[in-house]
Amino acid sequence: MNLWRTDNNPWGEEVLIGISWDLMWLAIGVAVLFLIGHAVWLRTRPAETHEVPSGPEAAAVPEKIERHSLGARVFHWIMSVAMLALLVTAFAPVIGWQFPWVTLHWIAGVLLIATVVYHIIHAIGWQDFWSMFRIGASEGAAHVRHILSSKAPAPPKAGKYAFDHRMYHHAIVVTTLSAIVTGVLMMVRIDTPFFTRNPYLFNDATWGIMYVVHGLSGVALIVLVAAHIYFAVRPEKRWMLWSMINGFIDREKYLEHFDPRKWDVSGGSTPSAVEGGSGALADASVSARRDD
Amino acid sequence: MAKIRDMIPAFELLQPTSLEAALELLDEHREEAWVLAGGLDSFDWFKDRIKRPSVVVDLGGVPELTGITDIDNGVVIGAMTSLTEVERHELIRSEYSVVSEAARHVATPQIRNQGTLGGNVAQDTRCWYYRSGWPCYRAGGNTCYAAAPQAMNREHCILGRSRCVAVNPSDTAPALIAVDAKMIVENSGGPSVYDAEDFFIGPAIDITRMTVMKPRDLLTRIQIPATWANAEFYYEKVRDRGSWDFQLVSVAAAFRKSGDVIQEARIAVNGVAPYPVRVEAAERIVAGTSGDEETANAAGEAAIEGARALRHNDYKIAMMRNLVRRAVRSVA
């Protein structure tokens, strides 16, 4: 198996051309193995049970809690379309499905960039930006222990973003930004309305590195997107998928999976109430704060 | 420029004596196999040591691939039929003269004796960056040297570019499109039939190929339906050197008339895109008219819709417009 492709430039220097397409097949293989492996592994595990608080605190939680605002959902689905279009237009021609992919690819790329820019502005201005970037080392360690042994105590309940979601987000950020930065520069080499075509903007070696980074990001995204879709449609996680469609989760799922001290849906009155062990978690008439 | 060397790299030469055997060999060797027809494109590649196939399948001994056959609803030309035979064949000359005229414009008499119709339509582009072995998109790399601001691209395309800006070099291709020829491509799985205009593909579809043919595939026959027999034809090729050169721009057209009115037209232009371009917008303008000056001008303008010049080839826009005009004027 080769990792990359090289060729001699007009000056006789061996330069990188891009990744080897073997890596695409490797990524597809890894994705399939992971999905099958995870499904099989999950069947060997005892059913997960989650402690669900009860009492007046629980009763006071709104029946429906907004998990994703309309803006966040629209962003997510447009980005999904752009990402899938990018993966299909990038890799389907390699597999043998031939169509005019280049124009579709850069248009999908521009759409992805627009959604990412929107997401960054939205996250900084209207969401709890840093909640996604909490490291949570002890939380991570607890997750790992629980994965390795079902007898290990269940990891602590998460705030709005679970540990695995945060890690996935970080991976997507790195791969997507790598693909975007290199992709925008690569657009200088093709016909688009944005740039005057110029293959000599960088030297051949630098272009080669750019193509390799773009390719590695692409094949990594095959695995990440496959895993994301897999988890989204798994029966026990489908409520999250529905929340990305209709925006809400119900009270039971909230109490089952989230720590009210970390994700306050009460409009600010919850923490003390929970810590004190008495009083309402939230006034049922108060809608949940939008901090997605 | 390419360095011409004395010796071509060694390869295994396979010489099937039947179509079935040829298809079997292509199936066996797939990407490793190079199909050799007249050799006029192939030996350039080999001598320049840019293409180094390990297996060459020589079709020279396959009788099913040669000859011109008159059939009920047209004529069938074997892909290995020489361009000279196509040029001189009585039936082609009398009923499909645009094809014989196009064949007559290929290179020199010696080359037409050796070159085949199949080879002429399936030949690779003559972009010299590509032919010199530079790692361009078409060669599997990630650069188009011909589209760079500093590039020498006088002969390159004004339409249909997608990363690569090379042009299709075939003289006979636009004529075959004008007569609505069918290209019969076979492999061990059986034959496929393509309209001539669909036989050629652009870099947007596959940047490493100029036709629909993949490894295993062989163009075996070209069938010209009788639909356009004895139509009014026009062919013109503009080239730098009248004696022997590839086209800068060429046009082939077929017009079916009723009285003074053009009922239907097929117009194809080559040398302006990575594939021969059928200019349907111009055909629509021409249909139902007498092909007068106004119509010819409108057809010429329609033909160049969307054309975009590179640094050194803006002349091709005017040339294409004028050739389409002249084709239309020819039937007025």
Side-chain angles (χ1 to χ4, degrees), chain A residues 275-286:
Chain A
E275 283 156 17
S278 62
L281 266 170
D283 185 333
S285 65
V286 176

Side-chain angles (χ1 to χ4, degrees), chain B residues 160-178:
Chain B
R161 61 204 256 189
S162 176
R163 296 176 293 161
C164 174
V165 296
V167 295
N168 183 293
S170 172
D171 291 320
T172 55
L176 293 171
I177 291 173

Side-chain angles (χ1 to χ4, degrees), chain A residues 65-70 72-73 122 126-128 131-132 134 139 157-166 239-240 243-244 247-249 253-254 257-265 288-292:
Chain A
I65 296 146
E66 187 177 51
R67 180 164 156 80
H68 302 294
S69 67
L70 179 64
R73 282 177 281 148
H122 188 223
W126 285 270
Q127 295 180 306
D128 182 4
S131 66
M132 183 56 82
R134 283 178 43 239
E139 191 184 351
K157 285 184 182 175
K160 182 162 186 185
Y161 303 111
F163 177 78
D164 49 346
H165 291 195
R166 297 201 305 274
W239 58 274
M240 288 192 225
S243 76
M244 189 50 83
F248 292 92
I249 59 172
K253 290 297 178 195
Y254 171 77
H257 294 280
F258 300 98
D259 183 341
R261 288 164 298 192
K262 297 175 184 170
W263 180 21
D264 175 16
V265 298
R289 184 161 62 92
R290 289 185 178 185
D291 65 348
D292 53 342

Side-chain angles (χ1 to χ4, degrees), chain A residues 91-203:
Chain A
F91 295 111
V94 178
I95 292 170
W97 180 24
Q98 283 164 335
F99 56 96
W101 64 272
V102 175
T103 305
L104 295 172
H105 191 72
W106 72 254
I107 290 172
V110 170
L111 182 62
L112 179 73
I113 291 168
T115 58
V116 168
V117 169
Y118 164 80
H119 178 59
I120 292 170
I121 293 170
H122 188 223
I124 292 173
W126 285 270
Q127 295 180 306
D128 182 4
F129 182 78
W130 293 110
S131 66
M132 183 56 82
F133 289 92
R134 283 178 43 239
I135 300 298
S138 60
E139 191 184 351
H143 270 274
V144 171
R145 281 195 297 273
H146 190 62
I147 287 169
L148 295 175
S149 167
S150 58
K151 291 173 185 164
K157 285 184 182 175
K160 182 162 186 185
Y161 303 111
F163 177 78
D164 49 346
H165 291 195
R166 297 201 305 274
M167 293 304 107
Y168 181 85
H169 181 266
H170 298 337
I172 280 283
V173 165
V174 171
T175 49
T176 304
L177 289 182
S178 301
I180 284 175
V181 170
T182 52
V184 167
L185 290 167
M186 286 158 69
M187 282 170 69
V188 175
R189 295 164 73 91
I190 60 171
D191 292 309
T192 67
F194 307 111
F195 305 105
T196 300
R197 198 171 170 181
N198 183 8
Y200 304 125
L201 185 63
F202 301 106
N203 65 32

Side-chain angles (χ1 to χ4, degrees), chain B residues 228 230-232 254-265 286-291 331-332:
Chain B
W228 289 88
N230 299 309
E232 290 193 32
F255 302 93
R256 192 180 298 120
K257 291 181 74 177
S258 173
D260 287 340
V261 178
I262 299 168
Q263 298 293 317
E264 202 178 350
V286 167
T289 72
S290 60
V331 288

